[in-house]
Amino acid sequence: MSNDHKSKNIIKNVTDEANDLVHKTVDTSNKIVKSVSGEGGLVGKTADASSNVIKKVSDTGNDAINKTVDTTSKATKGIKQKLFSRKKKDE
């Protein structure tokens, strides 16, 4: 596995884990709020809505980072191929 590929996987894995942590933290907080305030009340519904917003923002950030890593990896690979695949003029 190349260093670029390892770096890409590390960054993607870390962002995926951070996204998962956000989701679990939000779910736990939501459960605590609902256990104190009740499931069907206004506070519970507000907690649900807030949780959904936070999760979507986290997912969007995670997707953006993953796309940036993919784009950067492709650009680096393309540049590397162009630089090292040129024939020398002497040959």
Side-chain angles (χ1 to χ4, degrees):
M1 190 179 289
S2 71
N3 283 339
D4 285 343
H5 190 65
K6 285 180 186 176
S7 295
K8 181 174 78 169
N9 285 338
I10 288 170
I11 293 169
K12 282 186 163 188
N13 288 342
V14 168
T15 57
D16 289 343
E17 287 176 16
N19 188 44
D20 189 45
L21 177 64
V22 168
H23 281 247
K24 288 178 180 177
T25 303
V26 167
D27 288 339
T28 301
S29 300
N30 197 16
K31 287 177 186 175
I32 292 168
V33 168
K34 285 182 173 184
S35 71
V36 172
S37 69
E39 285 278 332
L42 181 60
V43 174
K45 290 178 182 177
T46 303
D48 286 340
S50 298
S51 296
N52 289 338
V53 169
I54 293 169
K55 286 180 179 182
K56 286 290 183 189
V57 169
S58 181
D59 288 341
T60 301
N62 189 42
D63 290 345
I65 290 170
N66 284 337
K67 287 178 184 175
T68 301
V69 169
D70 290 341
T71 302
T72 304
S73 179
K74 287 177 187 173
T76 303
K77 186 177 180 180
I79 291 168
K80 197 183 318 181
Q81 286 176 345
K82 287 179 182 179
L83 286 174
F84 296 114
S85 67
R86 291 185 179 173
K87 293 182 180 180
K88 293 181 182 178
K89 290 183 179 182
D90 297 349
E91 293 180 346

